[in-house]
Structures are given as structure tokens and as C-alpha cells.
């Protein structure tokens, strides 16, 4: 009888219709596949049961988070070849793009699935890892309560852990790189400076920082440009950390950090609004409301800098589905939209969109630095969070880096103005003077 690795390889190649580009190592110590390829380690039969009971990305995610699956060698290389085979398979004879897991529902591959079931063993489905969030359905999506729970799931995992990953800048969004050899801290500082210049911040102005994180943008704007800042976040841990930083900088007279939903901000108007890496949490059903709310909070002539991840458009936008792994383990209820959809909604709310800068490659560089930080201090990370949580962050950041590099997703800074009826926008005649 064949060993477990060879049996798994044969089954996988029947399902994929192609040779397996990774090497398999099974729980019995056997190996099969190309000797020079990254090694996919199947630590136990439970990994197979997770895939059988949840034949999709969520099953793979559960196996990874629980430690039932692992990768030896270059994680980026393994994710790249697996993405091409599993999630990005070529069109079939009927002209439909079918993933491996859609194929698993096809009667023609049921025999291979049956063999997989025999190999997995006659056991009940394993419970989901503790790190998986409980999803509540569309009726509860993007209420103030559900958004607060989603933000807490992602951000309230410990400030010490985020310090380890993000470094001293404590900025959890795409940095702005002069060159790939720059430091993460200098690239994040350059990003905050770029946002400030686009908003034309000057002493005496009022800035609202929506989704202020650990206070980096608020502190930079107050310290470097002399503005008064209100930063809002739904995370208690972020707010406590940001307030301490503000106090340590001696900026309590100019920076206020609130635990507050942006929909509850009532003390406008502001001269400028920054929203950096926050709008992905808003959701398509609430995005126009978000744009209207920010428009109402600005003075005439005020500027909004909306820094947001975007996905590629689909021929049928109604077929868009949220990534199961991201939804269950990383950003619950998060949604991505094409940049054209975002600019259109901002314009519908009354904004004049004046500039869109695509910085996709910058996010790939940022994510690779975060992964490097996490891997370099893996033992420390395991003292701060559960092994499953650390594995979530490593996988999602590495996979996201590849997605930005391959143009599967992008990130854009959209500069918009609340242009008054007079048409005087206050923008320079030549665009991008901030560069």
C-alpha cells in the first residue's frame, strides 16, 4: 500500500488536473512531489477532515490556523503556486472559472473525494479554531455594534503584539517608499508627511482622523503642522495607547483621542479629514452614508484624504464574495470595492475628486517588512498571542503581499474636496505640488 504522501499527491493531482508543484510531507513521515519545491506539511489526518467538511478556503484556513497544515521553505513561493492552482484555475470547457473546491462538488471528481475521505479517517468534523470569529449574517452587517465587535476582533489583540509587527512607527497601513532599501520607519513617516501635504495642513486648522489607530497620524499632524486633531477609533486598546503617546509628546492641548464611531461625530466643521486604512471596514451598503457623513463634517473647501485598499472589478459585480479566510480570521465584515466605485460614491456624496494616486507596490513592500518583523521575533509573538493568532497574521500578511505584487488588489489615495458653489476648490493649478 502506498504511503500517505503519495496517496495524497495522487488524489490532489486528479482533483487539480495538473501536477502538484509543491512537495508533500504527511503525518507518517512520508514525502512525495518535486524535491526542490516548497514543502506542504500535512501534520495529521485532521487537516483532511477540515477540508472535507468545509471544502473551500475556510477549510484550508482552519487547518492552517490550527497547525494541521504548515509550509517549510519559502512561504511566498508556496502561496504563489498554490494560488495559481487552487484559486486561479484556467477556464474550463464551459467557459467558467472553477476553483478546486467548486470541482469537488462535481460528480466527476466524487471518486477522488471519496478516496480522500477514506484517508482522512471516520471521525467527526473538528471544531473551528478559537481564533475564528462568529459571523452573524447580512442582517447584522455594519451596524454600530457589529462594527465595534469587528474592530475589537482585529485590533484588540494586544498593543505589544502590534509593536512587534509594525515597529516603532505603529502605523498599520501602507507606507510610502522612496526606495525598497529605505527603513520601514522612514517610509511610514514619509506616508504621514505625504497625507499632510495633500491635505495642505497649516497651524490653526482642525483635522479629523477617522480610524486613528495608535495615534501616529494625529501626533504627526499636530507636532509637524501645528493643527488641532480629533482622532476616533472603536478600539479601546488603540485609544489607550494613542492617549499615552499623545501625553508623552506633550500634545494633549492639541490632540484628542476618542473611542467613537465616525457616525457619532457631531462637532464639525473640520478643515480636513484623513481616513487611512479605515474605509475597508465600512462596507458597500454603508459607503454612501460614510461619504455623506464625512462631507457634512467638512468646511466648504475642506479636503478629504481617503487611503483605501481596492480590488479589481468583476464583470458581474453582484457575484463578488468576501474572502472567507479574511472574514473569519482577520477583518470580519470587511469589504473591498474597485477604485472607480469608491470615487463615484464620493462624488455622489458631493465631493469633487481631485487626485487619485495608486501606490500598490508600496503596500507589498510594507507587508513584506511586517512579515519579516514577525518571523524574526516569532518566539516573542507566541508569548504575546496564541499560536493560532500568530499564524493568522503571518499567512494573511504574506498572502496579501503577493496579492498586491500580482495586481489582484491595489491601494489608492483619493484626494477629494468639498468644493463650494462658487467652484473655488483651493487646489493649486498644477496638481501634485506635494511631491
Amino acid at each position: 500500500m502506498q504511503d500517505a504522501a503519495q496517496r495524497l499527491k495522487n488524489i490532489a493531482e486528479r482533483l487539480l488536473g495538473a501536477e502538484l508543484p509543491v512537495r508533500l510531507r504527511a503525518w507518517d513521515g512520508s514525502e512525495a512531489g518535486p524535491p526542490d519545491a516548497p514543502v506542504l506539511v500535512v501534520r495529521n489526518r485532521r487537516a483532511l477532515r477540515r477540508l472535507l467538511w468545509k471544502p473551500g478556503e475556510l477549510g484550508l484556513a482552519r487547518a492552517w490556523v490550527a497547525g494541521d497544515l504548515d509550509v517549510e521553505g519559502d512561504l511566498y513561493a508556496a502561496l504563489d503556486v498554490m494560488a495559481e492552482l487552487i484559486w486561479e484555475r484556467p477556464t474550463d470547457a464551459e467557459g467558467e472559472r472553477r476553483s478546486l473546491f467548486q470541482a469537488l462538488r462535481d460528480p466527476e471528481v466524487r471518486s477522488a473525494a471519496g478516496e480522500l475521505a477514506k484517508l482522512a479517517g471516520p471521525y467527526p468534523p473538528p471544531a473551528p479554531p478559537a481564533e475564528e470569529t462568529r459571523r452573524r449574517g447580512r442582517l447584522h452587517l455594519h451596524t454600530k455594534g457589529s462594527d465595534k465587535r469587528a474592530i475589537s476582533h482585529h485590533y484588540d489583540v494586544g498593543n505589544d503584539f502590534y509593536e512587534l509587527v509594525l515597529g516603532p512607527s505603529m502605523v498599520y497601513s501602507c507606507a510610502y517608499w522612496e526606495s525598497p532599501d529605505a527603513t520601514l520607519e522612514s517610509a511610514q513617516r514619509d506616508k504621514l508627511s505625504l497625507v499632510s501635504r495633500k491635505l495642505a495642513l497649516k497651524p490653526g486648522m482642525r483635522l479629523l482622523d477617522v480610524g486613528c489607530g495608535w495615534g501616529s497620524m494625529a501626533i504627526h499632524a499636530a507636532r509637524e503642522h501645528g493643527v488641532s486633531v480629533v482622532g476616533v477609533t472603536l478600539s479601546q486598546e488603540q485609544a489607550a495607547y494613542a492617549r499615552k503617546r499623545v501625553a508623552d509628546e506633550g500634545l494633549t492641548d492639541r490632540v484628542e483621542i476618542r473611542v467613537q464611531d465616525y457616525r457619532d461625530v457631531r462637532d464639525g466643521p473640520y478643515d480636513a479629514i484623513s481616513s487611512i486604512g479605515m474605509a475597508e471596514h465600512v462596507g458597500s451598503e454603508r459607503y454612501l452614508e460614510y461619504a455623506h457623513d464625512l462631507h457634512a463634517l467638512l468646511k466648504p473647501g475642506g479636503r478629504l484624504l481617503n487611503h483605501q485598499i481596492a480590488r479589481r472589478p468583476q464583470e458581474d459585480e453582484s457575484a463578488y464574495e468576501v474572502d472567507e479566510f479574511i472574514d473569519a480570521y482577520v477583518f470580519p465584515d470587511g469589504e473591498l470595492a474597485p477604485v472607480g466605485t469608491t470615487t463615484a460614491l464620493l462624488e455622489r456624496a458631493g465631493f469633487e475628486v481631485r487626485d487619485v494616486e495608486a501606490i500598490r507596490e508600496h503596500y507589498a513592500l510594507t507587508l513584506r517588512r511586517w512579515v519579516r518583523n514577525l518571523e524574526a521575533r516569532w518566539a516573542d509573538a507566541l508569548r504575546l498571542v496564541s499560536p493560532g493568532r500568530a499564524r493568522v497574521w503571518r499567512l494573511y500578511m504574506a498572502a496579501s503581499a503577493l496579492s498586491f505584487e500580482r495586481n489582484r488588489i491595489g491601494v489608492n489615495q483619493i484626494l477629494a474636496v468639498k468644493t463650494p458653489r462658487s467652484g473655488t476648490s483651493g487646489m493649486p493649478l498644477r496638481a501634485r505640488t506635494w511631491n
Side-chain angles (χ1 to χ4, degrees), residues 130-189:
E131 292 78 9
E132 184 172 319
T133 187
R134 181 168 172 249
R135 286 161 292 172
R136 298 168 62 88
R138 300 295 300 182
L139 291 177
H140 300 278
L141 199 59
H142 298 299
T143 63
K144 291 179 183 179
S146 70
D147 281 353
K148 190 174 182 66
R149 286 189 296 272
I151 294 299
S152 178
H153 174 86
H154 187 74
Y155 294 104
D156 291 341
V157 299
N159 293 327
D160 290 344
F161 177 73
Y162 276 104
E163 283 183 338
L164 182 151
V165 174
L166 304 180
S169 65
M170 286 301 282
V171 180
Y172 193 25
S173 55
C174 174
Y176 196 68
W177 299 83
E178 182 178 357
S179 77
D181 298 325
T183 66
L184 177 60
E185 287 67 42
S186 67
Q188 290 292 13
R189 184 173 59 249

Side-chain angles (χ1 to χ4, degrees), residues 51-377:
L51 287 169
L52 286 166
W53 284 94
K54 202 67 180 177
E57 186 173 334
L58 189 56
L60 271 176
R62 287 174 173 174
W64 172 270
V65 174
D68 302 329
L69 283 179
D70 206 348
V71 167
E72 287 186 7
D74 189 331
L75 177 60
Y76 295 102
L79 290 174
D80 214 17
V81 295
M82 290 171 65
E84 289 181 6
L85 271 177
I86 298 175
W87 289 282
E88 300 170 13
R89 289 166 61 72
T91 35
D92 63 13
E94 287 74 38
E96 298 177 353
R97 292 181 66 84
R98 297 199 309 166
S99 72
L100 164 64
F101 303 110
Q102 287 172 316
L104 278 173
R105 302 183 181 96
D106 190 319
E108 295 180 5
V109 295
R110 290 284 177 83
S111 63
E115 289 184 29
L116 191 63
K118 291 178 183 178
L119 191 58
Y123 299 101
E131 292 78 9
E132 184 172 319
T133 187
R134 181 168 172 249
R135 286 161 292 172
R136 298 168 62 88
R138 300 295 300 182
L139 291 177
H140 300 278
L141 199 59
H142 298 299
T143 63
K144 291 179 183 179
S146 70
D147 281 353
K148 190 174 182 66
R149 286 189 296 272
I151 294 299
S152 178
H153 174 86
H154 187 74
Y155 294 104
D156 291 341
V157 299
N159 293 327
D160 290 344
F161 177 73
Y162 276 104
E163 283 183 338
L164 182 151
V165 174
L166 304 180
S169 65
M170 286 301 282
V171 180
Y172 193 25
S173 55
C174 174
Y176 196 68
W177 299 83
E178 182 178 357
S179 77
D181 298 325
T183 66
L184 177 60
E185 287 67 42
S186 67
Q188 290 292 13
R189 184 173 59 249
D190 287 349
K191 189 269 298 296
L192 299 178
S193 180
L194 177 66
V195 171
S196 300
R197 294 196 302 273
K198 288 182 177 182
L199 291 173
L201 298 182
K202 295 179 178 62
M205 293 175 64
R206 294 184 77 214
L207 169 69
L208 175 64
D209 187 26
V210 180
C212 66
W214 292 271
S216 298
M217 178 63 199
I219 290 169
H220 177 91
R223 185 183 59 212
E224 305 297 330
H225 300 277
V227 304
S228 297
V229 188
V230 171
V232 296
T233 176
L234 294 178
S235 166
Q236 295 283 353
E237 290 197 22
Q238 281 187 335
Y241 189 98
R243 287 167 183 155
K244 185 179 185 305
R245 292 180 74 195
V246 169
D248 291 345
E249 291 276 351
L251 294 171
T252 52
D253 60 330
R254 276 185 276 169
V255 178
E256 178 187 1
I257 303 296
R258 303 174 185 168
V259 178
Q260 186 177 35
D261 193 292
Y262 72 91
R263 289 166 282 195
D264 294 329
V265 176
R266 296 287 184 267
D267 60 348
Y270 289 86
D271 298 285
I273 297 176
S274 54
S275 178
I276 306 173
M278 176 270 174
E280 297 90 342
H281 295 289
V282 172
S284 58
E285 295 177 4
R286 299 280 187 178
Y287 203 91
L288 186 58
E289 176 187 347
Y290 159 83
H292 275 298
D293 285 346
L294 299 193
H295 186 269
L297 286 166
L298 275 174
K299 290 180 179 178
R303 299 184 186 181
L304 164 69
L305 192 285
N306 192 80
H307 175 120
Q308 181 177 343
I309 298 172
R311 60 176 172 84
R312 303 294 298 168
Q314 298 182 181
E315 288 188 15
D316 179 9
E317 278 295 312
S318 66
Y320 167 66
E321 295 181 354
V322 175
D323 182 282
E324 284 189 299
F325 167 61
I326 298 294
D327 191 42
Y329 289 98
V330 186
F331 293 107
D333 302 341
E335 295 179 56
L336 302 182
V339 64
T341 300
T342 299
T343 56
L345 289 169
L346 290 171
E347 289 184 328
R348 282 179 59 189
F351 282 105
E352 179 187 10
V353 173
R354 295 300 303 248
D355 186 78
V356 179
E357 183 174 4
I359 53 175
R360 173 175 61 82
E361 294 87 351
H362 293 254
Y363 218 157
L365 290 169
T366 306
L367 284 155
R368 282 183 177 262
R369 293 298 179 90
W370 291 343
V371 172
R372 185 190 303 177
N373 286 346
L374 177 58
E375 291 179 339
R377 298 186 60 191

